[in-house]
Amino acid sequence: MPSQKTNGTVDQQQASASQAAVTAAVTAAPLQDTTRAPRRSSITHVREKVLKPFNTKEIKILLLENINQTAVDAFKYQGYQVEYISKSLSGPELIEKIRTVHAIGIRSKTKLTKAVLQEAQNLIVIGCFCIGTNQVDLETASKLGIAVFNSPFSNSRSVAELVIGEVITLSRQIGDRNKEMHRGVWNKVSNNCYEIRGKTLGIVGYGHIGTQLSVLAEAMGMTVYFYDVLNIMPLGSAKQVATLENLLAASDFVSLHVPELEDTKDMLGEREIMGYMKKGAYLINASRGTVVQIPALIKALKSGHLGGAAIDVYPKEPAANGPTFDIYPDLLDCPNLILTPHIGGSTEEAQSMIGIEVSTALIKYINQGSSFNAVNYPEIDLRAIREEENTVRVLYTHQNVPGVLKEINQIFADHNVDKQYSDSKGDIAYLMADIGGVTEEEITSIYNMVSSTKSNIRTRVLY
């Protein structure tokens, strides 16, 4: 993803976070000859205006599901009021909490349904501190003028490393030997235990995680094939195959990295596993629990058709840690099977990066209106307003119907529009406009007129 210019407040946050490292570097550097005239830098720093909402005194943030401290710190640095809850919420408790907040941060357990979102009167933005967004009713969020952001790649390395570990663990039957040793059984065997060098890894879904996995696998001497619905330029020596069936038939290990869609639901069943995968091959699912049909997997493992499997995701997952996981009983008796509780992205590094990435996106949307990388909104941005400029920013989410821009431009006609940008996505459109030289009374007038238009979904004014 290309790097983005951050606003002034985020720049300050990053500068503060790295101050210790900068100080150490300076003190460790050799002394310079101060008798020479210093070289002038051609880079000048433009101070950006810190915008604030026209009609909101305080921004309230609700963070659920033990979101990383990096996000908490980022929001508090902005002066926002932050409520932090380590668990997920649901039902009346969630509705009560969400009613007054301007932003909410969740992971995968909290479900923001239509009924919940309709109760969120002040909510302008949702942060999914994870990859998936299927826990949010995106259509309803769009219709209510609520932008949704996620973290599409920050945990990619962590998931890829887990898969590499599982490939080795399955190939050497380490899981079974570990369980035997815990029971006091010494069972030193080499039968059906292999090196992964020279073996073929088939990757289903060649996105952020798939490509990371591809590079790691090749570095360990594996041949990599991948299948994706899009034509993608491979990294290294990886090769794209035309069909899923071709990939399954060619691979010693198959690793799944696809989103949860109608097209991916039950993607691998008995036909694919027993009919196309090699006898003795291994299956790894670190994508979504609905992609693999569990009864078909059990049959393939118990019959010996599969040499082993590793599962990190399940069709139904509990909302909290504890002894409440409802799993297929027959799955627990399968040989050479690794079961983990959806920990693919559960590393300190990944959670820290996710906290930074999503909080930065939310801060830019709240403070500047930038919708870049929103999953449900038109992606637009305007350059920052300079500190010395007497300018306000109008943010207008509206129904994507004819005549709206004409109506808006008539409202703006008596003012100096410094810059303006509009785009649409489906039934929703989003406009950003910077208007210069306006008084307090004119700000109120602009806000009232824009928010009173028939197509208005949500209007915000930052000044």
Side-chain angles (χ1 to χ4, degrees):
M1 185 176 79
S3 61
Q4 299 298 315
K5 180 180 179 183
T6 56
N7 61 31
T9 52
V10 177
D11 283 344
Q12 292 166 8
Q13 172 199 336
Q14 293 171 336
S16 176
S18 62
Q19 188 61 50
V22 172
T23 302
V26 170
T27 55
L31 294 175
Q32 298 181 0
D33 184 0
T34 58
T35 61
R36 299 179 182 179
R39 298 179 64 181
R40 292 184 180 274
S41 172
S42 61
I43 301 175
T44 58
H45 178 65
V46 177
R47 293 185 65 86
E48 298 173 356
K49 186 176 181 180
V50 179
L51 300 175
K52 56 184 179 180
F54 149 73
N55 59 345
T56 302
K57 291 184 178 180
E58 188 170 34
I59 298 294
K60 296 181 180 180
I61 311 288
L62 175 63
L63 299 179
L64 304 178
E65 301 187 62
N66 203 30
I67 287 171
N68 194 266
Q69 187 66 34
T70 54
V72 179
D73 293 342
F75 291 131
K76 286 185 176 180
Y77 184 83
Q78 297 296 319
Y80 301 161
Q81 179 180 323
V82 180
E83 182 176 5
Y84 180 86
I85 299 175
S86 61
K87 64 178 183 179
S88 64
L89 298 180
S90 61
E93 188 178 12
L94 175 59
I95 290 174
E96 182 64 28
K97 288 289 185 182
I98 205 173
R99 276 188 176 133
T100 59
V101 300
H102 299 92
I104 184 171
I106 61 172
R107 294 175 71 183
S108 58
K109 304 303 181 190
T110 302
K111 308 301 180 185
L112 299 182
T113 63
K114 181 177 181 179
V116 172
L117 292 175
Q118 287 177 334
E119 296 286 340
Q121 301 302 315
N122 296 329
L123 192 66
I124 60 173
V125 65
I126 296 168
C128 295
F129 287 74
C130 53
I131 294 177
T133 57
N134 56 300
Q135 69 275 40
V136 179
D137 187 331
L138 296 178
E139 182 179 357
T140 297
S142 299
K143 290 180 178 179
L144 294 174
I146 304 169
V148 180
F149 295 86
N150 69 334
S151 179
F153 68 90
S154 287
N155 68 356
S156 301
R157 178 72 181 202
S158 295
V159 179
E161 287 189 6
L162 177 67
V163 173
I164 287 293
E166 290 173 336
V167 167
I168 297 172
T169 300
L170 291 172
S171 191
R172 299 293 298 274
Q173 298 183 14
I174 294 173
D176 285 359
R177 299 295 85 78
N178 176 64
K179 288 189 291 186
E180 291 164 354
M181 288 292 287
H182 277 271
R183 298 197 304 267
V185 177
W186 183 275
N187 185 23
K188 182 179 178 179
V189 296
S190 59
N191 189 40
N192 293 323
C193 295
Y194 307 97
E195 294 181 353
I196 67 169
R197 178 179 54 176
K199 304 302 187 295
T200 299
L201 172 65
I203 301 173
V204 183
Y206 203 64
H208 295 295
I209 296 171
T211 51
Q212 285 271 322
L213 176 59
S214 174
V215 171
L216 293 176
E218 279 201 1
M220 300 191 74
M222 301 187 79
T223 299
V224 177
Y225 294 113
F226 69 91
Y227 169 73
D228 199 288
V229 294
L230 301 175
N231 289 323
I232 301 175
M233 180 177 290
L235 299 181
S237 301
K239 295 179 177 62
Q240 185 167 9
V241 298
T243 67
L244 175 62
E245 290 77 11
N246 288 345
L247 180 127
L248 297 177
S251 302
D252 300 307
F253 296 84
V254 175
S255 190
L256 307 176
H257 302 283
V258 296
E260 185 176 55
L261 304 169
E262 278 301 316
D263 291 341
T264 62
K265 186 177 181 180
D266 296 332
M267 176 184 280
L268 265 67
E270 186 171 337
R271 170 182 173 273
E272 290 76 20
I273 298 173
M274 303 285 285
Y276 288 97
M277 290 186 68
K278 292 181 180 180
K279 182 175 175 57
Y282 306 88
L283 177 63
I284 299 171
N285 184 15
S287 59
R288 290 292 179 263
T290 57
V291 174
V292 176
Q293 297 177 30
I294 300 298
L297 174 64
I298 294 171
K299 182 176 181 180
L301 287 169
K302 289 195 170 183
S303 69
H305 182 79
L306 286 184
I311 305 298
D312 188 46
V313 289
Y314 306 87
K316 292 183 179 180
E317 298 182 3
N321 292 341
T324 59
F325 185 30
D326 183 17
I327 194 170
Y328 287 84
D330 292 343
L331 196 61
L332 301 177
D333 299 327
C334 290
N336 203 18
L337 174 64
I338 302 170
L339 299 175
T340 50
H342 203 154
I343 58 170
S346 297
T347 63
E348 293 289 350
E349 294 87 351
Q351 294 306 310
S352 177
M353 283 297 297
I354 290 171
I356 293 170
E357 181 186 6
V358 180
S359 64
T360 299
L362 266 61
I363 289 166
K364 286 199 71 176
Y365 183 75
I366 294 169
N367 288 3
Q368 293 195 0
S370 172
S371 60
F372 194 76
N373 287 331
V375 298
N376 68 325
Y377 242 54
E379 296 182 60
I380 64 174
D381 194 8
L382 288 179
R383 68 179 182 272
I385 299 172
R386 296 189 178 189
E387 192 176 59
E388 67 273 12
E389 293 178 305
N390 180 23
T391 301
V392 300
R393 175 162 290 177
V394 179
L395 308 172
Y396 178 52
T397 303
H398 61 90
Q399 299 170 24
N400 184 23
V401 295
V404 175
L405 291 182
K406 178 181 179 181
E407 186 178 10
I408 289 298
N409 286 328
Q410 286 175 342
I411 295 173
F412 294 163
D414 294 330
H415 304 281
N416 179 31
V417 179
D418 295 332
K419 46 189 178 291
Q420 180 175 320
Y421 186 21
S422 177
D423 201 359
S424 62
K425 186 173 185 176
D427 296 330
I428 306 300
Y430 185 45
L431 177 145
M432 299 177 68
D434 288 351
I435 302 175
V438 290
T439 64
E440 292 280 349
E441 293 77 13
E442 287 173 325
I443 294 173
T444 302
S445 176
I446 290 171
Y447 174 80
N448 289 337
M449 286 191 289
V450 173
S451 60
S452 297
T453 57
K454 291 182 179 180
S455 300
N456 176 69
I457 294 176
R458 184 184 297 276
T459 298
R460 290 199 295 145
V461 174
L462 306 177
Y463 75 109

